[in-house]
Amino acid sequence: MTAPRTLYDKIWDDHLVQEDADGTCLIYIDRHLVHEVTSPQAFEGLRMTNRKVRAPEKTIAVPDHNVPTTEGRDTHIDNVESRIQVEALDKNARDFGVQYYPVSDIRQGIVHIVGPEQGWTLPGMTVVCGDSHTATHGAFGSLAHGIGTSEVEHVLATQTLIQQKSKNMKVEITGKLPAGVTAKDITLSVIGATGTAGGTGHVIEYCGEAIRALSMEGRMTVCNMAIEGGARAGLIAPDETTFDYVMGRPHAPKGAKWEAALSYWKTLFSDEGAHFDKVVTLKGEDIAPVVTWGTSPEDVLPITGVVPDPESFKGGKVEAVRRSLAYMGLEPGMKLTDIAIDAVFIGSCTNGRIEDLRAAAEILKGKKIAQGVRGLVVPGSGLVRAQAEEEGLAQIFLDAGFEWRLAGCSMCLAMNPDQLAEGERCASTSNRNFEGRQGFKGRTHLLSPAMAAAAAIAGHLTDVRELV
Amino acid sequence: MDKFTTVTGVAAPLDLVNVDTDMIIPKQFLKTIARTGLGKNLFDEMRFDRQGRENPDFVLNQPAYRNAEVLISGENFGCGSSREHAPWAIKDFGIRVVIAPSFADIFFNNCSKNGILAIPMPQDVVDVLMEDARKGANARMTVDLGNQKVTTSDGQEFGFQIDAFKKHCLLNGLDDIGLTMEKAAAIDTFEAKNATLHPWV
């Protein structure tokens, strides 16, 4: 009998091509997602060395990071450098024959939303992309993580990656979530508890009753931010929720292959007694709607809290918090609900899926965005956008005073024209609150879509529980 | 890839924790399709104001550190995105070694692919190196990869650990892809087996 294995161990074992004596492993990659920003140098490298893409049928490209989210982008992009990158991706996709969703295709969107939506992402797979939020796909029980451009080139050429095995970490969320608390609050609360380096060197498996109760959209939100907790990948064992989501998607297996896949997928869970190097447990009941106050995703507090005092921290964090508060324009002791905002961004690979838009629209229905606040809704894909229009959500956003945009990464990283002005403060459903992330000297507060919608109405950060 | 053997040079102290990739190279510089030329934008938003004027307080703008080849910093260096533009900018600036108590995984990996040595060392050692770096341009630190040793300007020596494969690639400037291509038969075998076991992939 083999020793009990974790879910991560099982996926790893099933993708091990070769292990050298020094422990260096060659891992097979089932799906390689590619976008315009981190791939041009990799394709150029292939050209320079006369190499081909080994498995173009397993390589999926889509422009998302710097595409404008306004009409007309399929014929013209104003920013010359962005245009060159998108054109380079068009050409590379064509020249190397990979699967491609250009901006003119309704299926275009954020790479981490397109992959699952089209059924490219399946349980038990290895998935990589030149983007750290590749962790999103772990929601399917696939081993998914970000890679650098050199590794993008390596995967294009060999369909493998050179890897050292990570450690196993278990994050368990027990019990039930209180009303008004969402997947975003779970993932931010975990980072708040463990710190942005808490998962470094580990692959996290999220489990427990509160995780099981989440939809696939919610699970993707949780895994998406595993990287903000320092972990390369986050995983959730597949179950009926997963299988229901996957079944019938364009690239999901059909017929006999579906049955074969299903019986394999049902073996993908951590065995009883499997070893975890680190275990963190949070009670679902204890999780509140949270926001970030600083410039690191670990700077998380329940919305009922106050801006902390730098002196209450230890070591290098004291100076970091001082710097953070100066950047954010906040004073210790200030109530988080007193923080006035200038902008609201709803979207990103963290919270740009249909369920996120539903949650925000639910709060906004019949309400108006506060005067002076700018609101932007950017669906995660063309298909999410179409569905939201069909469900009447788009009209709710428009009636509330939000702008309704085309799909892309948009203001999550502000590589396209969607940016904060200097000093502007944004309630954002994205994943990073780093200095300058949403625009030079822009200030970001991370929160859930429902909390973002509530902030939009109030004009300041507020507790969504008071509105439901 | 450039070989890495020994570097002797000025070390710049950047005493901050959680230095993220948006700090190292802000996103407006990711719109390049080249690997080179990013050094001038390294730490852009800390180094320059909006008009492009240097911030005299930032360490790499101080005369002593303009040609730094080593960077000493706080824990969780390189957290955030997977952008390889971060190590490209560091290298293009002229820095070949980054020493910190800990690194984010993806950044750490990206460094070795570009001939940059990222060395995790215990906090108390980093504290000593940070103090040494503060001594300015005359205090030159030596980083010897072959012997896995950092020597401060006053001769204190500290050993460090590195993965044997990474060390081998760095010392010899080896290209990973070429090495993996030599294992093509093993990849073929894997693909054939997987086509039977998991035909839906």
Side-chain angles (χ1 to χ4, degrees):
Chain A
M1 211 177 113
T2 52
R5 294 183 297 165
T6 63
L7 172 56
Y8 169 53
D9 295 338
K10 290 180 181 179
I11 302 175
W12 176 272
D13 291 347
D14 282 353
H15 290 84
L16 186 60
V17 174
Q18 192 174 317
E19 180 166 3
D20 292 343
D22 66 0
T24 305
C25 296
L26 198 63
I27 293 296
Y28 193 78
I29 301 303
D30 295 323
R31 293 288 181 263
H32 186 192
L33 310 174
V34 173
H35 65 82
E36 78 279 22
V37 175
T38 59
S39 69
Q41 293 89 347
F43 284 110
E44 193 53 28
L46 293 185
R47 282 200 184 86
M48 279 157 51
T49 47
N50 273 321
R51 287 170 176 149
K52 291 189 174 68
V53 174
R54 182 180 171 102
E57 74 283 5
K58 296 175 182 172
T59 310
I60 298 99
V62 57
D64 59 1
H65 276 59
N66 66 30
V67 295
T69 54
T70 43
E71 299 289 347
R73 63 183 188 171
D74 47 341
T75 51
H76 183 75
I77 297 175
D78 280 338
N79 183 286
V80 177
E81 292 158 304
S82 295
R83 188 165 73 229
I84 290 172
Q85 276 192 336
V86 172
E87 285 169 359
L89 188 66
D90 284 344
K91 178 171 164 46
N92 289 330
R94 208 169 45 237
D95 288 0
F96 290 91
V98 307
Q99 311 289 323
Y100 188 47
Y101 302 100
V103 282
S104 55
D105 191 316
I106 192 175
R107 296 168 298 177
Q108 178 271 346
I110 305 171
V111 65
H112 306 309
I113 292 186
V114 173
E117 205 168 68
Q118 292 302 315
W120 289 112
T121 307
L122 299 172
M125 281 185 163
T126 47
V127 181
V128 296
C129 174
D131 186 275
S132 59
H133 292 108
T134 309
T136 312
H137 307 263
F140 291 80
S142 61
L143 178 59
H145 59 79
I147 54 177
T149 300
S150 294
E151 290 176 316
V152 169
E153 187 178 339
H154 192 279
V155 176
L156 288 172
T158 69
Q159 207 58 28
T160 65
L161 259 190
I162 300 170
Q163 292 268 285
Q164 295 274 347
K165 199 173 173 199
S166 302
K167 291 181 185 156
N168 282 288
M169 176 168 172
K170 176 157 87 174
V171 173
E172 186 178 15
I173 314 293
T174 62
K176 292 188 171 59
L177 298 178
V181 177
T182 67
K184 186 65 167 285
D185 301 301
I186 294 182
T187 203
L188 282 170
S189 298
V190 170
I191 300 161
T194 60
T196 52
T200 303
H202 293 76
V203 165
I204 297 177
E205 180 177 344
Y206 298 95
C207 61
E209 189 188 344
I211 297 289
R212 282 284 137 233
L214 293 174
S215 65
M216 283 317 294
E217 284 85 352
R219 294 179 189 187
M220 285 189 256
T221 300
V222 170
C223 290
N224 172 275
M225 290 190 72
I227 183 69
E228 267 64 59
R232 276 198 127 191
L235 288 169
I236 295 173
D239 58 12
E240 292 302 325
T241 304
T242 322
F243 309 144
D244 287 349
Y245 179 97
V246 169
M247 193 166 67
R249 304 240 162 218
H251 296 276
K254 316 265 183 311
K257 281 186 183 173
W258 170 263
E259 295 305 325
L262 201 58
S263 65
Y264 172 65
W265 295 343
K266 287 181 176 170
T267 67
L268 298 174
F269 54 84
S270 288
D271 296 329
E272 189 73 34
H275 175 73
F276 286 92
D277 302 278
K278 200 168 177 177
V279 178
V280 173
T281 305
L282 297 185
K283 282 189 194 160
E285 289 81 2
D286 291 348
I287 300 176
V290 292
V291 295
T292 63
W293 47 266
T295 56
S296 167
E298 69 191 14
D299 300 339
V300 174
L301 280 174
I303 183 66
T304 48
V306 297
V307 176
D309 186 340
E311 303 303 328
S312 65
F313 292 86
K314 290 196 179 76
K317 190 71 186 171
V318 177
E319 188 48 40
V321 171
R322 226 176 261 140
R323 183 187 162 87
S324 229
L325 294 188
Y327 181 88
M328 294 296 289
L330 299 174
E331 295 293 333
M334 187 176 177
K335 284 168 76 175
L336 295 174
T337 48
D338 285 343
I339 298 174
I341 53 162
D342 306 297
V344 175
F345 171 65
I346 298 174
S348 84
C349 60
T350 314
N351 283 126
R353 285 169 284 269
I354 191 69
E355 184 178 283
D356 302 312
L357 303 189
R358 286 182 192 140
E362 174 76 26
I363 302 292
L364 286 167
K365 199 168 187 174
K367 304 258 177 43
K368 291 274 180 214
I369 193 165
Q371 202 168 10
V373 176
R374 171 186 174 213
L376 205 60
V377 185
V378 184
S381 73
L383 291 174
V384 168
R385 186 172 195 268
Q387 188 177 352
E389 286 175 351
E390 207 177 292
E391 292 183 16
L393 309 180
Q395 202 52 51
I396 294 174
F397 289 120
L398 286 166
D399 291 346
F402 274 83
E403 293 175 50
W404 177 246
R405 295 295 191 86
L406 300 176
C409 299
S410 182
M411 206 192 266
C412 173
L413 83 169
M415 275 193 76
N416 77 345
D418 308 335
Q419 304 188 5
L420 293 180
E422 206 166 323
E424 268 190 329
R425 190 183 296 284
C426 183
S428 179
T429 67
S430 54
N431 43 58
R432 287 193 181 128
N433 51 355
F434 295 157
E435 290 181 21
R437 175 80 178 180
Q438 295 192 291
F440 185 76
K441 303 278 183 203
R443 293 158 170 167
T444 304
H445 295 276
L446 302 175
L447 33 53
S448 74
M451 284 282 283
I457 297 164
H460 54 83
L461 300 181
T462 191
D463 192 335
V464 67
R465 290 173 296 190
E466 290 168 10
L467 294 179
V468 290
Chain B
M1 188 174 84
D2 293 345
K3 288 182 185 178
F4 188 106
T5 50
T6 297
V7 163
T8 298
V10 172
L14 182 66
D15 198 357
L16 277 177
V17 298
N18 296 332
V19 171
D20 61 66
T21 51
D22 282 75
M23 281 185 196
I24 298 171
I25 185 82
K27 71 266 176 167
Q28 60 268 36
F29 306 110
L30 308 187
K31 294 179 182 177
T32 172
I33 54 171
R35 280 181 162 94
T36 51
L38 289 168
K40 60 182 186 298
N41 310 116
L42 177 67
F43 293 115
D44 187 85
E45 290 179 2
M46 297 162 97
R47 236 167 107 199
F48 305 105
D49 68 13
R50 273 249 114 153
Q51 284 69 44
R53 288 175 302 222
E54 283 189 4
N55 163 16
D57 295 333
F58 187 67
V59 61
L60 297 180
N61 287 333
Q62 293 163 14
Y65 300 110
R66 300 184 87 94
N67 296 311
E69 291 176 73
V70 180
L71 189 66
I72 315 288
S73 194
E75 64 186 355
N76 200 26
F77 189 93
C79 60
S81 104
S82 65
R83 61 188 70 162
E84 201 157 313
H85 309 69
W88 292 338
I90 288 171
K91 188 177 179 196
D92 197 59
F93 180 88
I95 291 170
R96 293 297 304 278
V97 182
V98 185
I99 301 174
S102 61
F103 290 88
D105 287 339
I106 302 177
F107 174 84
F108 186 71
N109 250 334
N110 285 341
C111 281
S112 65
K113 313 272 182 208
N114 289 282
I116 298 169
L117 182 55
I119 314 176
M121 295 185 100
Q123 185 70 56
D124 56 338
V125 174
V126 173
D127 291 345
V128 173
L129 300 179
M130 191 74 78
E131 272 319 296
D132 195 51
R134 289 202 170 100
K135 292 175 187 165
N138 293 326
R140 294 165 76 81
M141 197 174 282
T142 296
V143 178
D144 177 351
L145 175 58
N147 293 307
Q148 296 180 218
K149 188 171 77 176
V150 176
T151 310
T152 62
S153 61
D154 55 6
Q156 294 185 75
E157 289 184 359
F158 300 98
F160 62 85
Q161 299 297 313
I162 182 168
D163 169 67
F165 177 71
K166 270 197 176 133
K167 179 178 176 179
H168 176 68
C169 289
L170 278 165
L171 281 174
N172 298 292
L174 295 177
D175 160 26
D176 279 355
I177 299 177
L179 291 172
T180 300
M181 289 278 198
E182 291 172 10
K183 298 175 178 170
I187 303 172
D188 290 341
T189 307
F190 180 91
E191 279 183 339
K193 187 188 75 180
N194 211 38
T196 315
L197 282 177
H198 305 139
W200 59 87
V201 173

